[in-house]
Amino acid sequence: MTQQARRSPLLISLALGLTLSSAHAQPVQTVRLGFFPNLTHAPALIGLERGLFQKAVGAAKLEAKAFVSGTSLSEAFAGGQIDVAYIGPGPAINAATRGMPIQIVAGASEAGAVLIARKDSGIRTYKELAGKVVAVPSAGNTQDISLRHILKEQGLKSKADGGTVTIVPIPPADTIAAFAAKRADATLVPEPWGAALQAQGHVLIGDEKTVWRGGKYPTTIMIVNARFAQANPALVEGFLKANTEAVAFLTRSPAAAQAAVNHQLLKLTGVKLDPRVLQRAFARTRFTTSLDLEALKEYAALNVEAGYARSVPDLSSFIRR
């Protein structure tokens, strides 16, 4: 797939979204929340498990929907189907660059992404990804952008860009089955799915610190539809308070938080993880409401490097002050 081809579907969706999102001028009866069933989205999982988001919307109805990747969530956001979302910085920056009316309002997690190779793949180093099939959650998502940067650092390219590495989209929760069926040789995947694969004997090639920036990179942030935010400032404040309370719970009570996260993951994916797997995944993930603007700027540059954007936007104009 060419770089231009990677851009086209989302551009179409964004154009549609700019039209449909004007519907948020009416009084809010329902608030739509998007998130992923990953540990890196644990503030969302905790917010749902502990009723924090329902409290935030008061008498309105909360509709929470799980997505498999930032790309699919961005398309739903563009289509006016989501008001508030937890999402990776890659899709968020792409959306902002292309005119989607978003505001970045808070951080949620940092690091928490690892590169795992199937145990019989023969891969033990980044360079040995040459000629292999590597899974990411979706084209254009945060892990896809990180993987393309890793490949560049190793002198490798995807097949679509004239190299030898085949990059395929596989939802994180499905990577366990994909490895069993040998549909992928490796994956750059958010936690807890990396720790779950490692528990089955698959091999850790890159931990959260070697993927990028010594582990000091945003993995999940909270965004809101800018028009929704303008019309409903109290609701946005409520979601920010809920996010802060969820992050505080994750930090203050890790054992209880792990149990709550596991309960939500079981409901959403049908997979109940061994507590030791979650403990390992938690150790690789940091939860924070802070936004690192410099890291976001570097991510925007990686977006350009990966071919998902033509320029680095002024991100300060998209961040809520």
Side-chain angles (χ1 to χ4, degrees), residues 7 17 34 41 68 73 147 166 181 190-191 198 201 207 209 223 249 256:
R7 297 184 185 109
H41 288 234
V68 298
L73 197 159
L147 174 63
T166 301
E191 295 289 12
Q198 197 175 0
D207 64 17
K209 294 179 181 176
I223 64 173
F249 181 71

Side-chain angles (χ1 to χ4, degrees), residues 202-283:
H202 301 299
V203 183
L204 179 71
I205 304 300
D207 64 17
E208 80 285 1
K209 294 179 181 176
T210 62
V211 166
W212 188 50
R213 229 173 173 264
K216 296 179 180 178
Y217 53 89
T219 308
T220 305
I221 58 179
M222 176 185 276
I223 64 173
V224 299
N225 182 296
R227 292 167 185 159
F228 172 85
Q230 185 175 20
N232 304 281
L235 285 174
V236 174
E237 290 297 333
F239 272 94
L240 287 171
K241 184 172 185 290
N243 183 57
T244 298
E245 291 177 359
V247 168
F249 181 71
L250 283 156
T251 305
R252 182 182 66 245
S253 307
Q258 288 167 25
V261 167
N262 216 359
H263 183 243
Q264 280 292 318
L265 290 177
L266 177 62
K267 287 172 59 178
L268 295 165
T269 69
V271 177
K272 184 175 183 179
L273 296 169
D274 187 308
R276 291 169 295 183
V277 169
L278 266 182
Q279 288 172 11
R280 174 178 282 174
F282 260 70

Side-chain angles (χ1 to χ4, degrees), residues 75-94:
E75 291 174 351
F77 204 96
Q81 302 166 24
I82 298 295
D83 303 305
V84 184
Y86 286 87
I87 194 170
I93 292 169
N94 277 333

Side-chain angles (χ1 to χ4, degrees):
M1 185 185 296
T2 65
Q3 292 181 356
Q4 184 60 45
R6 288 201 291 267
R7 297 184 185 109
S8 299
L10 188 55
L11 283 174
I12 295 170
S13 297
L14 291 174
L16 178 63
L18 288 173
T19 301
L20 294 180
S21 58
S22 61
H24 290 302
Q26 299 301 318
V28 172
Q29 300 295 321
T30 302
V31 182
R32 292 81 53 89
L33 171 71
F35 65 99
F36 309 163
N38 299 334
L39 176 61
T40 48
H41 288 234
L45 304 179
I46 293 295
L48 292 171
E49 181 75 8
R50 294 175 65 83
L52 302 177
F53 297 132
Q54 185 57 62
K55 183 179 178 182
V57 303
K61 179 182 178 183
L62 175 70
E63 285 186 0
K65 182 176 181 181
F67 291 80
V68 298
S69 75
T71 307
S72 58
L73 197 159
S74 289
E75 291 174 351
F77 204 96
Q81 302 166 24
I82 298 295
D83 303 305
V84 184
Y86 286 87
I87 194 170
I93 292 169
N94 277 333
T97 302
R98 294 167 184 168
M100 187 188 293
I102 74 165
Q103 283 187 353
I104 300 172
V105 294
S109 70
E110 293 183 345
V114 294
L115 181 66
I116 301 287
R118 207 183 66 236
K119 54 190 172 186
D120 58 351
S121 68
I123 301 171
R124 295 297 180 270
T125 67
Y126 282 140
K127 280 195 176 294
E128 290 172 337
L129 294 175
K132 302 295 186 179
V133 177
V134 186
V136 294
S138 71
N141 95 311
T142 301
Q143 283 73 49
D144 177 35
I145 293 166
S146 296
L147 174 63
R148 292 173 189 276
H149 181 63
I150 289 170
L151 295 180
K152 183 180 180 183
E153 287 186 323
Q154 299 298 320
L156 302 173
K157 292 181 181 178
S158 71
K159 275 193 173 180
D161 293 324
T164 63
V165 181
T166 301
I167 300 176
V168 297
I170 296 178
D174 294 343
T175 52
I176 295 172
F179 269 31
K182 298 188 178 183
R183 291 192 286 115
D185 300 305
T187 181
L188 182 54
V189 67
E191 295 289 12
W193 309 111
L197 289 167
Q198 197 175 0
Q200 293 188 340
H202 301 299
V203 183
L204 179 71
I205 304 300
D207 64 17
E208 80 285 1
K209 294 179 181 176
T210 62
V211 166
W212 188 50
R213 229 173 173 264
K216 296 179 180 178
Y217 53 89
T219 308
T220 305
I221 58 179
M222 176 185 276
I223 64 173
V224 299
N225 182 296
R227 292 167 185 159
F228 172 85
Q230 185 175 20
N232 304 281
L235 285 174
V236 174
E237 290 297 333
F239 272 94
L240 287 171
K241 184 172 185 290
N243 183 57
T244 298
E245 291 177 359
V247 168
F249 181 71
L250 283 156
T251 305
R252 182 182 66 245
S253 307
Q258 288 167 25
V261 167
N262 216 359
H263 183 243
Q264 280 292 318
L265 290 177
L266 177 62
K267 287 172 59 178
L268 295 165
T269 69
V271 177
K272 184 175 183 179
L273 296 169
D274 187 308
R276 291 169 295 183
V277 169
L278 266 182
Q279 288 172 11
R280 174 178 282 174
F282 260 70
R284 294 172 177 160
T285 311
R286 192 169 80 90
F287 303 104
T288 176
T289 61
S290 298
L291 286 168
D292 186 336
L293 181 57
E294 290 306 311
L296 289 174
K297 287 179 179 176
E298 291 185 34
Y299 241 132
L302 297 188
N303 257 356
V304 175
E305 178 184 280
Y308 290 112
R310 293 179 178 174
S311 62
V312 176
D314 177 12
L315 290 174
S316 61
S317 63
F318 296 104
I319 294 178
R320 183 178 186 270
R321 300 296 181 185

